Every structure is written in C-alpha cells, then in structure tokens.
Amino acid sequence: MNNNPFKDQIIIDGLQYCNWNREIFEDLLRGGITAIHVTLVYWENTEESFERIKIWEKLFNEYSDIIFHAKKTNDIFHSKKNNKLAIIFGFQNSAPISNDIYLIEKFFIKGLRFMQLTYNNQTALGGGCFEKIDSGISRFGRAVIEEMNRLGMIIDLSHAGRKTCLDAIEYSKKPVAISHANPLFFHDSKRNIDNDVLKKLVSKDGFIGLSLYPLHLKNNNNCKLEDFCEMIIKLSNLIGLDHIGIGSDLCSNWDDSVVMWMRNGKWTKKLDFGESKNKSSAWPAQPLWFEKGSDLINIYYGLSKLGMKEKDIFKILGSNWLEFFKISFG
C-alpha cells in the first residue's frame, strides 16, 4: 500500500452488499479503503433484522484487528489511524420497522445510520421505483422522516419512485442521500435518477453515490472506465462536485440464489427478474475494471487521465461522503 495514492486519504464506498469474510476485508484495507456503508437487510422483518445485527457483532469480535463499527464520523478517523476498515450499517428497506416508529431508535442504538424508505415496491412510507403509480410520501413516511432527522439517521432514496424522492427531499429538514444510483442520462434504468430530481436533491444539499452495479451502467458490464469517468465529470458540471461520491453496490461472494432473494424476497410467488433484460437468475458480471472493492483505485486513475485535479478526485472518492456524514450524524 506504500505506493497507493489512497494511503493518506479518506476513501469511502457508500454501499456494498457482500458475503463478508477476512479476505474481502483485507482486500479493502490493502486497497486503501477507509469506510464502507454495508447493507444489512433487504426484505427481512424486525426479528430477522436484529439477528443480522447479531451476526455483525460476531464479525466485529472475530475480526477486531481489521474492522470497526462506525457510528459517528470520529469513528472513521479512528479506523484510519488504526488501519481498520470502518463499517457503517444500513437497511435497503423500511420493512424492519413494520408500522412501529419506535423501532427506528432501537435500530439506531444498535448502530443503524442509513435506511431506505422503499426497496422497489410500495411500502407504508412511500412508492418504489418499480411501481406504475408512485404514491409519494405517506403520513407515516413523514413521521419516519421526522424521526430519522431527529436521531441523525440518513434517509436513503435509492430504489424510491420519482414522486417519493421529490416529496422526501422537500419534507426532510436534513439533506437526504441516494446512496447508489446513476444519472438517467448515463443509462436508462428504473433505478437511475433524472436531472430534475438530481437538481432538487442538491438544492437541499443532498448527495448521490454513483453505482457500479452492471444494470445501472451504460452497456452494463461492458461499460468502459472512460465512459464512467466522463459521466462523473458531466454530472459534476450539472449538480456540482461536492454532492457526488461512490456507492458501488458491489455484491460479491454470493451464490445466485441471493440475487433472486434481492428481487423477490417473500412478496411474490412468481419469479421477478428485476431489470435483467434476458431474465437471468444469475448475478450480472461486473466490469473488468471493478471486480473487487480495492478496484476503486481504477476510478482514481480514470479521472486523472481525463484531467480532473487530484483534490477533486479525492472528494469524489471519499471526502464528500465524509462531509455529508458530519452533517447527517455527527
């Protein structure tokens, strides 16, 4: 890592969902990654979600020499100083809170710092991006936003519908995030975000983490590094450099049954293939330049090649997220 330009920098990936083990943690550390927002649940209920947290507590004990549970921004600096990977908890759905607003604080005490209001489908809080009609934020959704603001939990609008995004941005008293998506101008995906929502997001100091999940990319896994980096520059010209980071949505070390769990959960007895055009039940292949977490370095080299200043590259790759965390949870 001595020659790694990340050595003295704060580098943050705003979302990953991996089947974690020592090999993955060590790859990230060798690559100079400082912190990861990790997905704990998709469709799990309350009890199952607390069980997922218990699994992570065991991981923190087992790998205490290389990982650390980050609950505030100072924990990220602590991890960097001690050569440990900071882990930030997130839910990709509001299913774990059911209809119980008091559960939000209980999860917050356990370290939850991100929660999506929806995961593709309609929830009690708002509309998902796969719904034909987007309800916008519900009465309960407004109450949840208020509670998340009070606690210092980041409202994540990834997988939310357009109206739900606009409603949440408007209603929240704190900036909100879209932790893992790309602009719609880069690739036409239900999960990607149109210019109007992006502009509204940043007008309230919001944030987007750019995704490297193949189905969110131009030409999917054949997306070129240069194309991705050119998109970053175009987006920074549209909404400003300070509102952009990376939320790679890397999903590694899983068998194919897990991608179908992500798409189907327990809500349907039919097979739902999400945005897979060929109805594949397998994980989509990653671009060759981003197959593991440490490959974040390739974005550094890609942006450098296009002439972006190094200080601005490090903003995209970490310090922008860090500043957003300071505002969000202190």
Side-chain angles (χ1 to χ4, degrees):
M1 187 174 153
N2 288 339
N3 296 321
N4 189 325
F6 290 175
K7 186 169 83 74
D8 299 317
Q9 303 296 324
I10 298 291
I11 305 298
I12 297 172
D13 190 332
L15 187 119
Q16 289 193 17
Y17 179 59
C18 300
N19 188 11
W20 301 96
N21 58 26
R22 190 174 192 92
E23 182 181 353
I24 295 174
F25 292 139
E26 288 181 341
D27 168 70
L28 289 161
L29 277 176
R30 281 194 304 270
I33 313 304
T34 312
I36 301 280
H37 161 211
V38 302
T39 292
L40 271 64
V41 302
Y42 285 89
W43 303 103
E44 286 85 345
N45 62 25
T46 303
E47 182 181 358
E48 291 166 336
S49 300
F50 279 117
E51 287 300 316
R52 292 296 305 165
I53 291 172
K54 287 180 182 178
I55 290 169
W56 266 102
E57 288 170 348
K58 290 178 182 177
L59 288 174
F60 289 128
N61 286 328
E62 184 176 357
Y63 302 120
S64 61
D65 57 322
I66 54 174
I67 62 174
F68 186 81
H69 187 184
K71 300 178 183 179
K72 53 187 184 295
T73 47
N74 282 346
D75 292 337
I76 295 172
F77 292 113
H78 170 84
S79 297
K80 182 71 175 180
K81 181 179 178 181
N82 291 281
N83 195 33
K84 295 183 182 183
L85 180 69
I87 302 293
I88 304 163
F89 283 174
F91 287 172
Q92 284 216 46
N93 203 339
S94 56
I97 69 167
S98 186
N99 288 301
D100 185 348
I101 198 167
Y102 295 94
L103 281 169
I104 301 172
E105 186 166 11
K106 291 179 180 180
F107 283 119
F108 183 83
I109 290 167
K110 288 291 187 179
L112 187 69
R113 292 298 180 269
F114 280 79
M115 186 173 74
Q116 288 181 194
L117 304 186
T118 70
Y119 186 78
N120 295 339
N121 292 355
Q122 178 74 43
T123 70
L125 309 184
C129 62
F130 276 54
E131 297 287 357
K132 286 186 178 180
I133 299 174
D134 180 0
S135 67
I137 294 294
S138 67
R139 291 175 66 212
F140 183 46
R142 292 195 295 273
V144 167
I145 287 171
E146 289 174 8
E147 179 69 351
M148 292 176 73
N149 283 171
R150 181 185 75 82
L151 291 167
M153 187 183 293
I154 295 172
I155 295 156
D156 190 347
L157 299 176
S158 306
H159 295 266
R162 185 178 190 276
K163 186 176 188 304
T164 295
C165 285
L166 291 170
D167 284 358
I169 293 165
E170 183 64 32
Y171 192 74
S172 177
K173 288 184 168 54
K174 284 190 174 182
V176 304
I178 297 170
S179 66
H180 57 298
N182 290 323
L184 195 63
F185 68 70
F186 182 58
H187 177 62
D188 186 6
S189 161
K190 290 180 181 178
R191 280 275 290 102
N192 286 342
I193 312 299
D194 70 45
N195 287 2
D196 290 341
V197 174
L198 288 168
K199 289 176 181 178
K200 184 70 174 178
L201 180 76
V202 302
S203 75
K204 298 285 291 290
D205 295 321
F207 198 90
I208 183 168
L210 299 176
S211 172
L212 291 154
Y213 189 71
L215 301 185
H216 304 161
L217 298 172
K218 176 182 177 181
N219 298 319
N220 301 142
N221 67 304
N222 291 316
C223 180
K224 296 177 181 178
L225 174 61
E226 183 178 8
D227 289 338
F228 186 79
C229 292
E230 286 177 347
M231 176 270 287
I232 293 176
I233 293 171
K234 182 176 178 180
L235 181 62
S236 67
N237 291 332
L238 178 71
I239 65 172
L241 187 78
D242 294 342
H243 304 281
I244 303 168
I246 300 295
S248 72
D249 203 8
L250 181 66
C251 304
S252 64
N253 195 35
W254 294 111
D255 62 42
D256 290 339
S257 66
V258 176
V259 74
M260 295 308 289
W261 159 253
M262 287 167 55
R263 294 166 179 169
N264 293 267
K266 301 173 185 176
W267 65 271
T268 179
K269 291 185 176 180
K270 299 177 181 179
L271 282 181
D272 186 276
F273 294 96
E275 290 195 276
S276 174
K277 296 287 195 297
N278 61 354
K279 295 188 175 182
S280 172
S281 59
W283 286 102
Q286 284 291 131
L288 294 178
W289 48 271
F290 193 82
E291 295 182 306
K292 58 186 184 303
S294 60
D295 286 342
L296 210 59
I297 192 72
N298 290 327
I299 298 174
Y300 168 87
Y301 291 122
L303 289 170
S304 296
K305 189 175 180 181
L306 292 176
M308 183 178 280
K309 295 176 181 177
E310 188 172 68
K311 66 179 181 64
D312 291 337
I313 297 174
F314 288 136
K315 281 187 171 186
I316 299 287
L317 295 179
S319 60
N320 281 346
W321 265 126
L322 186 68
E323 292 304 312
F324 187 78
F325 292 162
K326 289 177 183 177
I327 295 168
S328 301
F329 51 74

Short mmCIF file of all heavy atoms in Angstrom, two decimals, residues 295-328:
data_model
loop_
_atom_site.label_atom_id
_atom_site.label_comp_id
_atom_site.label_asym_id
_atom_site.label_seq_id
_atom_site.Cartn_x
_atom_site.Cartn_y
_atom_site.Cartn_z
N ASP A 295 -10.61 -2.22 -6.32
CA ASP A 295 -10.55 -1.69 -7.69
C ASP A 295 -11.04 -0.25 -7.78
O ASP A 295 -11.00 0.36 -8.85
CB ASP A 295 -11.37 -2.56 -8.64
CG ASP A 295 -10.69 -3.88 -8.97
OD1 ASP A 295 -9.47 -3.99 -8.74
OD2 ASP A 295 -11.39 -4.81 -9.43
N LEU A 296 -11.47 0.31 -6.66
CA LEU A 296 -11.83 1.74 -6.63
C LEU A 296 -10.68 2.60 -7.12
O LEU A 296 -10.88 3.69 -7.66
CB LEU A 296 -12.22 2.14 -5.21
CG LEU A 296 -13.23 3.26 -5.02
CD1 LEU A 296 -14.56 2.95 -5.69
CD2 LEU A 296 -13.45 3.54 -3.53
N ILE A 297 -9.46 2.09 -6.97
CA ILE A 297 -8.27 2.82 -7.43
C ILE A 297 -8.34 3.11 -8.92
O ILE A 297 -7.79 4.11 -9.40
CB ILE A 297 -6.99 2.02 -7.10
CG1 ILE A 297 -5.74 2.87 -7.28
CG2 ILE A 297 -6.90 0.75 -7.91
CD1 ILE A 297 -5.55 3.92 -6.24
N ASN A 298 -9.02 2.26 -9.69
CA ASN A 298 -9.10 2.46 -11.14
C ASN A 298 -9.88 3.72 -11.49
O ASN A 298 -9.60 4.36 -12.50
CB ASN A 298 -9.74 1.23 -11.81
CG ASN A 298 -8.81 0.04 -11.78
OD1 ASN A 298 -7.59 0.18 -11.84
ND2 ASN A 298 -9.38 -1.16 -11.65
N ILE A 299 -10.85 4.10 -10.65
CA ILE A 299 -11.59 5.34 -10.89
C ILE A 299 -10.66 6.53 -10.67
O ILE A 299 -10.72 7.53 -11.40
CB ILE A 299 -12.83 5.41 -10.00
CG1 ILE A 299 -13.78 4.26 -10.34
CG2 ILE A 299 -13.55 6.75 -10.16
CD1 ILE A 299 -14.98 4.15 -9.43
N TYR A 300 -9.79 6.43 -9.67
CA TYR A 300 -8.78 7.47 -9.45
C TYR A 300 -7.95 7.67 -10.72
O TYR A 300 -7.78 8.80 -11.21
CB TYR A 300 -7.88 7.09 -8.28
CG TYR A 300 -6.64 7.94 -8.14
CD1 TYR A 300 -6.67 9.13 -7.42
CD2 TYR A 300 -5.44 7.56 -8.74
CE1 TYR A 300 -5.53 9.93 -7.31
CE2 TYR A 300 -4.30 8.35 -8.63
CZ TYR A 300 -4.35 9.53 -7.91
OH TYR A 300 -3.23 10.31 -7.81
N TYR A 301 -7.44 6.57 -11.28
CA TYR A 301 -6.60 6.69 -12.48
C TYR A 301 -7.41 7.14 -13.69
O TYR A 301 -6.91 7.91 -14.53
CB TYR A 301 -5.91 5.35 -12.76
CG TYR A 301 -4.87 4.99 -11.74
CD1 TYR A 301 -4.94 3.82 -11.01
CD2 TYR A 301 -3.80 5.86 -11.48
CE1 TYR A 301 -3.97 3.50 -10.05
CE2 TYR A 301 -2.84 5.56 -10.53
CZ TYR A 301 -2.93 4.36 -9.83
OH TYR A 301 -1.98 4.07 -8.87
N GLY A 302 -8.67 6.70 -13.79
CA GLY A 302 -9.51 7.11 -14.91
C GLY A 302 -9.81 8.60 -14.90
O GLY A 302 -9.74 9.26 -15.94
N LEU A 303 -10.12 9.13 -13.72
CA LEU A 303 -10.39 10.57 -13.62
C LEU A 303 -9.11 11.39 -13.81
O LEU A 303 -9.14 12.47 -14.40
CB LEU A 303 -11.03 10.89 -12.27
CG LEU A 303 -12.47 10.39 -12.09
CD1 LEU A 303 -12.92 10.54 -10.64
CD2 LEU A 303 -13.43 11.13 -13.02
N SER A 304 -8.00 10.86 -13.32
CA SER A 304 -6.71 11.55 -13.52
C SER A 304 -6.39 11.66 -15.00
O SER A 304 -5.94 12.71 -15.48
CB SER A 304 -5.59 10.79 -12.81
OG SER A 304 -5.77 10.78 -11.42
N LYS A 305 -6.64 10.59 -15.72
CA LYS A 305 -6.36 10.56 -17.17
C LYS A 305 -7.19 11.60 -17.91
O LYS A 305 -6.74 12.17 -18.92
CB LYS A 305 -6.62 9.16 -17.72
CG LYS A 305 -6.18 8.95 -19.15
CD LYS A 305 -6.37 7.50 -19.58
CE LYS A 305 -5.92 7.28 -21.01
NZ LYS A 305 -6.12 5.87 -21.45
N LEU A 306 -8.39 11.88 -17.41
CA LEU A 306 -9.27 12.87 -18.05
C LEU A 306 -8.99 14.29 -17.57
O LEU A 306 -9.66 15.23 -17.99
CB LEU A 306 -10.73 12.51 -17.77
CG LEU A 306 -11.25 11.23 -18.46
CD1 LEU A 306 -12.68 10.95 -18.04
CD2 LEU A 306 -11.17 11.34 -19.99
N GLY A 307 -8.00 14.44 -16.69
CA GLY A 307 -7.55 15.78 -16.30
C GLY A 307 -8.17 16.34 -15.03
O GLY A 307 -7.95 17.52 -14.71
N MET A 308 -8.95 15.53 -14.29
CA MET A 308 -9.51 16.05 -13.05
C MET A 308 -8.40 16.24 -12.03
O MET A 308 -7.49 15.41 -11.90
CB MET A 308 -10.58 15.09 -12.49
CG MET A 308 -11.26 15.62 -11.22
SD MET A 308 -12.58 14.56 -10.56
CE MET A 308 -13.93 15.01 -11.63
N LYS A 309 -8.46 17.33 -11.28
CA LYS A 309 -7.46 17.62 -10.26
C LYS A 309 -7.52 16.57 -9.15
O LYS A 309 -8.61 16.10 -8.78
CB LYS A 309 -7.68 19.00 -9.65
CG LYS A 309 -7.48 20.14 -10.64
CD LYS A 309 -7.80 21.48 -9.99
CE LYS A 309 -7.63 22.63 -10.98
NZ LYS A 309 -8.00 23.93 -10.36
N GLU A 310 -6.37 16.23 -8.58
CA GLU A 310 -6.32 15.17 -7.57
C GLU A 310 -7.20 15.48 -6.36
O GLU A 310 -7.89 14.60 -5.85
CB GLU A 310 -4.87 14.92 -7.12
CG GLU A 310 -4.75 13.70 -6.22
CD GLU A 310 -3.32 13.33 -5.92
OE1 GLU A 310 -2.64 14.12 -5.22
OE2 GLU A 310 -2.88 12.26 -6.38
N LYS A 311 -7.21 16.73 -5.92
CA LYS A 311 -8.02 17.08 -4.75
C LYS A 311 -9.51 16.85 -5.04
O LYS A 311 -10.28 16.48 -4.13
CB LYS A 311 -7.76 18.52 -4.31
CG LYS A 311 -8.20 19.59 -5.28
CD LYS A 311 -7.91 20.99 -4.74
CE LYS A 311 -8.36 22.09 -5.68
NZ LYS A 311 -9.82 22.12 -5.90
N ASP A 312 -9.92 17.07 -6.27
CA ASP A 312 -11.31 16.85 -6.63
C ASP A 312 -11.62 15.35 -6.74
O ASP A 312 -12.72 14.91 -6.39
CB ASP A 312 -11.64 17.55 -7.95
CG ASP A 312 -11.63 19.06 -7.81
OD1 ASP A 312 -11.82 19.55 -6.68
OD2 ASP A 312 -11.43 19.75 -8.83
N ILE A 313 -10.66 14.59 -7.21
CA ILE A 313 -10.84 13.13 -7.27
C ILE A 313 -11.04 12.57 -5.86
O ILE A 313 -11.93 11.73 -5.63
CB ILE A 313 -9.63 12.45 -7.94
CG1 ILE A 313 -9.51 12.90 -9.39
CG2 ILE A 313 -9.77 10.92 -7.87
CD1 ILE A 313 -8.26 12.40 -10.10
N PHE A 314 -10.25 13.04 -4.91
CA PHE A 314 -10.38 12.55 -3.54
C PHE A 314 -11.70 12.99 -2.90
O PHE A 314 -12.22 12.32 -2.00
CB PHE A 314 -9.19 12.98 -2.69
CG PHE A 314 -7.92 12.25 -3.03
CD1 PHE A 314 -6.72 12.93 -3.15
CD2 PHE A 314 -7.93 10.88 -3.23
CE1 PHE A 314 -5.55 12.26 -3.47
CE2 PHE A 314 -6.77 10.19 -3.55
CZ PHE A 314 -5.56 10.88 -3.67
N LYS A 315 -12.25 14.11 -3.37
CA LYS A 315 -13.59 14.48 -2.92
C LYS A 315 -14.61 13.43 -3.37
O LYS A 315 -15.42 12.95 -2.56
CB LYS A 315 -13.99 15.85 -3.49
CG LYS A 315 -13.40 17.05 -2.77
CD LYS A 315 -14.01 18.33 -3.33
CE LYS A 315 -13.61 19.54 -2.51
NZ LYS A 315 -14.31 20.76 -2.96
N ILE A 316 -14.55 13.08 -4.64
CA ILE A 316 -15.47 12.09 -5.19
C ILE A 316 -15.31 10.74 -4.48
O ILE A 316 -16.29 10.05 -4.20
CB ILE A 316 -15.23 11.90 -6.71
CG1 ILE A 316 -15.48 13.21 -7.48
CG2 ILE A 316 -16.07 10.75 -7.27
CD1 ILE A 316 -16.91 13.60 -7.61
N LEU A 317 -14.08 10.38 -4.19
CA LEU A 317 -13.79 9.04 -3.66
C LEU A 317 -13.84 8.95 -2.14
O LEU A 317 -13.56 7.88 -1.59
CB LEU A 317 -12.42 8.57 -4.17
CG LEU A 317 -12.32 8.35 -5.68
CD1 LEU A 317 -10.92 7.90 -6.08
CD2 LEU A 317 -13.36 7.33 -6.16
N GLY A 318 -14.22 10.04 -1.48
CA GLY A 318 -14.31 9.89 -0.03
C GLY A 318 -14.66 11.11 0.77
O GLY A 318 -15.56 11.07 1.62
N SER A 319 -13.96 12.22 0.56
CA SER A 319 -14.15 13.34 1.48
C SER A 319 -15.53 13.99 1.34
O SER A 319 -16.04 14.56 2.30
CB SER A 319 -13.04 14.38 1.31
OG SER A 319 -13.00 14.90 0.01
N ASN A 320 -16.17 13.88 0.17
CA ASN A 320 -17.55 14.38 0.05
C ASN A 320 -18.50 13.59 0.94
O ASN A 320 -19.36 14.15 1.62
CB ASN A 320 -18.03 14.31 -1.40
CG ASN A 320 -17.49 15.44 -2.26
OD1 ASN A 320 -16.96 16.42 -1.75
ND2 ASN A 320 -17.62 15.30 -3.57
N TRP A 321 -18.37 12.26 0.92
CA TRP A 321 -19.18 11.43 1.82
C TRP A 321 -18.91 11.81 3.27
O TRP A 321 -19.84 11.92 4.09
CB TRP A 321 -18.86 9.95 1.63
CG TRP A 321 -19.72 9.16 0.70
CD1 TRP A 321 -19.31 8.39 -0.35
CD2 TRP A 321 -21.15 8.97 0.76
NE1 TRP A 321 -20.37 7.77 -0.96
CE2 TRP A 321 -21.52 8.11 -0.29
CE3 TRP A 321 -22.15 9.47 1.59
CZ2 TRP A 321 -22.84 7.73 -0.54
CZ3 TRP A 321 -23.48 9.10 1.36
CH2 TRP A 321 -23.81 8.23 0.31
N LEU A 322 -17.65 12.00 3.61
CA LEU A 322 -17.29 12.34 4.98
C LEU A 322 -17.98 13.62 5.44
O LEU A 322 -18.54 13.68 6.55
CB LEU A 322 -15.77 12.48 5.12
CG LEU A 322 -15.25 12.68 6.53
CD1 LEU A 322 -15.45 11.43 7.37
CD2 LEU A 322 -13.76 13.06 6.50
N GLU A 323 -17.98 14.64 4.60
CA GLU A 323 -18.63 15.89 4.95
C GLU A 323 -20.14 15.70 5.09
O GLU A 323 -20.77 16.30 5.96
CB GLU A 323 -18.33 16.97 3.89
CG GLU A 323 -16.88 17.41 3.86
CD GLU A 323 -16.39 17.93 5.21
OE1 GLU A 323 -17.11 18.76 5.81
OE2 GLU A 323 -15.33 17.47 5.67
N PHE A 324 -20.72 14.86 4.24
CA PHE A 324 -22.15 14.57 4.34
C PHE A 324 -22.45 13.85 5.65
O PHE A 324 -23.47 14.12 6.30
CB PHE A 324 -22.59 13.73 3.13
CG PHE A 324 -24.08 13.52 3.06
CD1 PHE A 324 -24.91 14.52 2.60
CD2 PHE A 324 -24.64 12.32 3.46
CE1 PHE A 324 -26.29 14.34 2.53
CE2 PHE A 324 -26.02 12.13 3.40
CZ PHE A 324 -26.83 13.13 2.95
N PHE A 325 -21.59 12.91 6.04
CA PHE A 325 -21.78 12.22 7.31
C PHE A 325 -21.75 13.19 8.49
O PHE A 325 -22.51 13.05 9.44
CB PHE A 325 -20.69 11.15 7.53
CG PHE A 325 -20.76 9.97 6.58
CD1 PHE A 325 -19.66 9.15 6.42
CD2 PHE A 325 -21.92 9.70 5.85
CE1 PHE A 325 -19.72 8.06 5.56
CE2 PHE A 325 -21.97 8.62 4.98
CZ PHE A 325 -20.87 7.79 4.84
N LYS A 326 -20.84 14.16 8.44
CA LYS A 326 -20.75 15.14 9.54
C LYS A 326 -22.05 15.88 9.72
O LYS A 326 -22.51 16.10 10.84
CB LYS A 326 -19.62 16.13 9.25
CG LYS A 326 -18.21 15.56 9.38
CD LYS A 326 -17.18 16.62 9.00
CE LYS A 326 -15.77 16.07 9.06
NZ LYS A 326 -14.78 17.09 8.62
N ILE A 327 -22.66 16.27 8.61
CA ILE A 327 -23.95 16.96 8.66
C ILE A 327 -25.05 16.03 9.16
O ILE A 327 -25.94 16.43 9.92
CB ILE A 327 -24.33 17.51 7.27
CG1 ILE A 327 -23.32 18.58 6.81
CG2 ILE A 327 -25.74 18.06 7.24
CD1 ILE A 327 -23.45 18.95 5.35
N SER A 328 -24.96 14.77 8.75
CA SER A 328 -26.06 13.82 8.98
C SER A 328 -26.06 13.24 10.38
O SER A 328 -27.06 13.28 11.09
CB SER A 328 -25.98 12.69 7.96
OG SER A 328 -26.06 13.21 6.65
#
